[in-house]
Amino acid sequence: MTTWRLVRSFPVAVQVLLVNQLGVNIGFYLLIPYLAGYLGHDLGMSAALVGVVLGVRNLSQQGLFLLGGTAADRLGARGVIIAGCALRTVGFGLFALGTSLPILLVASILSGLAGALFNPAVRSYLAQETGERRAEAFALFTVFANTGALIGPLLGSALVVIGFATSALVAALVFALLTLAQIAVLPSRPVPPARNTVLRDWRGVLGNKRFLMFTLALTGMFALQNQLYLVLPMEAARLTGSSGTVAAVFIVSTVTGLLLQVRITRFCQRKCSQSSAIAAGMGMMGLAFLATVLGGLAIPDAPAALDLPEMLLRLSPVLVATLVLTLGLLVAQPFVNDLIPSFGPNALSGTYFGVFYLAAGVTAAAGNAVIGRVSDVAAHPWAPSALCLGLGLASAAAVFVLHRNGLAGPEPTSKPGASACTTMPTS
């Protein structure tokens, strides 16, 4: 079944959510990657102020995921998704219209809050709408998200030549259109009355030991995924002496996801249980950094000038690491999203997604801080990669232990050959 046929096999609500995620990532990535340069170069802000503006946006989003998930459960995911897109329209519009620090901080807060609203709400709606086909739906969700992440920067690089304000206005227009489209097309679903207070629901989720163990075991996934933006670009620049080669990391990762996500998910559905697929994916994500460990041991810093063949040869450990890391993420991530809502009642799926992605945001920030510190103080260039290797294998082992003890969510009906995921599709 082709990706397009698979999309058409889902209800209209799911198709709308997939297109929504495509638009969300186009709008986000055509603006945010260029924000730091605009603040520092065009507005002349200090690095500290640039960091404050960017940090406020990230904190507003990551720190409020729990509130967004709870709002989706209490008020209905549809309304929260629409409100999130509308808020981001306002936030990105303010980036276009204001240059003073107070306005930029308000824009950052609104933009971050918007993501905190619609990210868990979209996942909650998708999980409830697709039932037993959640893994396939989340695989498609990743494909549409990656497509948006590919189109967004390309569109942004063209618009930023005209001016950052133009980029911001186009990004705001994208979110305005998404808001209107969801008002018109996204079906409304009845929201069951809440049986408990919000605090009691939170205590119930945070007291769910199986869910907390699962979340803790998966912390490595987010820390390693973020190394597409830290360790691998730094190693690419070190090995080749050119920051331009960093683009190869994102091209390999994005194209791999677009071409293989659906095939990999369907393959693993036939051959693996959910939790064994997650453990295998985490193991692959960790082992990916073996390539850059070996590259750090064998390849010295780049000389002043390199011809193209030598540059590609030096870059090969980073490209191998990027490919294997992405493949591991493609194996694990749809099944992670499939299992999250299974730990609690359907009416609390948004809260479970909110808690999980709040933990993910904190973990990613902490992981980057630790790995960045190791990069600063380590005497050997392979040290950050070695830390990532150990983190990935530790997470894989933790998920495997949960799987063996029946703690990683409900297991599908066992069948021959479904205990592990040891091979990958060839096409």
Side-chain angles (χ1 to χ4, degrees):
M1 182 182 290
T2 64
T3 299
W4 179 242
R5 287 175 60 196
L6 184 59
V7 170
R8 293 184 63 186
S9 71
F10 281 100
V12 171
V14 175
Q15 297 177 32
V16 172
L17 293 175
L18 295 176
V19 174
N20 175 71
Q21 191 60 29
L22 171 69
V24 163
N25 275 17
I26 289 175
F28 181 86
Y29 285 103
L30 77 83
L31 178 72
I32 295 300
Y34 307 98
L35 179 57
Y38 167 70
L39 297 175
H41 184 266
D42 294 3
L43 300 187
M45 288 187 173
S46 66
L49 282 180
V50 172
V52 167
V53 173
L54 298 180
V56 163
R57 194 210 66 79
N58 191 62
L59 181 62
S60 298
Q61 179 162 323
Q62 303 288 357
L64 297 176
F65 269 139
L66 177 54
L67 293 179
T70 298
D73 292 336
R74 297 272 169 159
L75 305 175
R78 177 182 181 272
V80 175
I81 295 168
I82 292 170
C85 287
L87 273 179
R88 186 154 282 180
T89 301
V90 176
F92 281 4
L94 287 176
F95 277 127
L97 301 175
T99 58
S100 67
L101 182 59
I103 292 178
L104 293 170
L105 288 175
V106 171
S108 293
I109 291 170
L110 292 178
S111 301
L113 176 59
L117 289 176
F118 62 65
N119 276 322
V122 166
R123 287 164 174 81
S124 175
Y125 196 124
L126 199 63
Q128 294 184 28
E129 194 73 18
T130 54
E132 296 298 319
R133 299 184 66 193
R134 282 199 299 252
E136 286 182 309
F138 278 111
L140 288 173
F141 188 79
T142 301
V143 170
F144 276 76
N146 285 341
T147 303
L150 180 63
I151 296 172
L154 296 177
L155 181 58
S157 64
L159 291 172
V160 79
V161 173
I162 303 173
F164 181 83
T166 302
S167 296
L169 287 174
V170 172
L173 177 62
V174 169
F175 279 97
L177 292 175
L178 290 175
T179 304
L180 295 175
Q182 288 164 114
I183 291 173
V185 181
L186 189 62
S188 180
R189 295 290 183 259
V191 181
R195 297 182 178 181
N196 300 311
T197 65
V198 170
L199 290 178
R200 189 169 180 179
D201 283 344
W202 288 358
R203 284 197 297 267
V205 174
L206 297 175
N208 187 330
K209 293 181 180 179
R210 289 164 59 91
F211 173 67
L212 293 183
M213 287 189 292
F214 179 79
T215 301
L216 182 62
L218 267 298
T219 54
M221 185 174 78
F222 303 99
L224 296 185
Q225 183 181 4
N226 268 261
Q227 301 323 304
L228 289 168
Y229 309 97
L230 182 61
V231 166
L232 296 179
M234 287 194 307
E235 190 65 1
R238 183 189 73 84
L239 291 174
T240 64
S242 170
S243 60
T245 57
V246 170
V249 171
F250 302 106
I251 292 172
V252 168
S253 178
T254 302
V255 171
T256 300
L258 291 177
L259 294 179
L260 298 180
Q261 176 67 84
V262 172
R263 291 183 174 89
I264 287 174
T265 300
R266 293 177 70 84
F267 176 85
C268 290
Q269 285 180 312
R270 295 194 302 268
K271 300 294 185 180
C272 313
S273 68
Q274 296 157 303
S275 50
S276 61
I278 294 170
M282 286 306 310
M284 292 174 64
M285 291 181 73
L287 289 172
F289 291 91
L290 182 60
T292 45
V293 168
L294 297 176
L297 287 168
I299 306 176
D301 291 354
L306 293 171
D307 57 25
L308 182 59
E310 187 176 3
M311 182 175 290
L312 291 175
L313 182 62
R314 282 176 155 270
L315 191 60
S316 58
V318 174
L319 298 182
V320 170
T322 301
L323 176 63
V324 178
L325 176 65
T326 302
L327 290 174
L329 188 64
L330 300 183
V331 170
Q333 195 169 49
F335 296 102
V336 171
N337 283 314
D338 186 5
L339 281 175
I340 290 169
S342 71
F343 284 97
N346 209 36
L348 289 180
S349 61
T351 303
Y352 274 89
F353 275 112
V355 170
F356 187 84
Y357 280 96
L358 171 59
V362 172
T363 299
N368 277 355
V370 172
I371 294 169
R373 179 61 177 166
V374 170
S375 300
D376 289 337
V377 303
H380 305 287
W382 49 263
S385 294
L387 179 60
C388 293
L389 171 63
L391 179 59
L393 295 181
S395 284
V399 175
F400 181 73
V401 169
L402 293 180
H403 166 67
R404 289 294 298 269
N405 288 280
L407 298 173
E411 293 295 328
T413 303
S414 61
K415 52 187 176 182
S419 61
C421 200
T422 55
T423 57
M424 295 299 298
T426 57
S427 63

